[in-house]
Amino acid sequence: MKTMMIRLAAACALLPALTMAGAPAALAHRGHDAMSVVRVEADGRLAVSHRFEAHDIEPALAAIAPEAQVSLDDPEAIAALKRYLLRHFTLSVDGEPVMLRYVASYIGASQVRFDLVGTLPEGAKTIEIASTILRDVYPGQVDQAMVHTAKSVRTLRFAGSEIHEVALD
């Protein structure tokens, strides 16, 4: 019994040290993410939705909108962010750019979403997507785009300046 009590006391004494050893990992940021969803409708309509964690995008406003407040509550910051997204996420069809326009924004406590629409030209064969969202703000940023077409869903990964091509069904 005495040996068991000594072991228990030793374990209790080590517990704070072990907890503190894991603290840096627990406090480390999990990384940044950006997810874009692209829906290609059979009638040629195109919908794009950019989704972010608020705690990722809000600090990035210092670089994206240096003249505005670093806040998702600032209309100037949101306007600059919209312009930024149009420059850093591009679509083209068969080599021709697709013009996108904003239709809605959702700024929540934990998530932020921007919805855009466009129209594909008749007879489109492929869609080319490029995303460099937040690559200039966060080194190592990786973006994803899920592309939904009539017959498939593809997840694309962007870690540089690459352009991915998706065949339209």
Side-chain angles (χ1 to χ4, degrees):
M1 180 77 157
K2 185 176 181 181
T3 304
M4 195 163 127
M5 292 300 281
I6 292 171
R7 286 184 185 162
L8 181 59
C12 288
L14 285 175
L15 188 58
L18 292 173
T19 302
M20 291 307 291
L27 295 174
H29 194 278
R30 63 172 175 70
H32 306 284
D33 64 357
M35 171 64 79
S36 300
V37 177
V38 178
R39 292 190 184 279
V40 180
E41 303 294 340
D43 64 358
R45 286 182 297 139
L46 184 66
V48 176
S49 179
H50 297 298
R51 302 162 188 201
F52 307 93
E53 297 292 328
H55 68 266
D56 284 342
I57 200 69
E58 192 164 48
L61 292 174
I64 294 169
E67 302 299 320
Q69 294 180 35
V70 182
S71 171
L72 291 168
D73 294 328
D74 183 359
E76 285 183 44
I78 296 302
L81 180 55
K82 287 178 178 180
R83 290 189 302 272
Y84 174 88
L85 292 173
L86 287 173
R87 285 190 317 271
H88 289 272
F89 186 90
T90 58
L91 299 174
S92 57
V93 173
D94 302 327
E96 294 297 318
V98 173
M99 300 307 296
L100 297 173
R101 66 178 175 80
Y102 283 94
V103 291
S105 299
Y106 170 76
I107 312 295
S110 64
Q111 296 202 348
V112 178
R113 187 180 77 224
F114 295 95
D115 295 332
L116 303 91
V117 295
T119 304
L120 297 176
E122 197 170 317
K125 302 286 186 229
T126 61
I127 187 168
E128 300 89 28
I129 302 170
S131 180
T132 58
I133 296 172
L134 300 178
R135 298 257 326 134
D136 56 335
V137 178
Y138 299 124
Q141 169 76 19
V142 176
D143 299 329
Q144 290 186 34
M146 290 181 72
V147 182
H148 297 259
T149 65
K151 295 182 182 175
S152 69
V153 177
R154 288 197 46 204
T155 301
L156 309 175
R157 181 181 182 276
F158 299 90
S161 59
E162 65 270 28
I163 298 172
H164 290 288
E165 186 175 286
V166 176
L168 299 173
D169 318 297

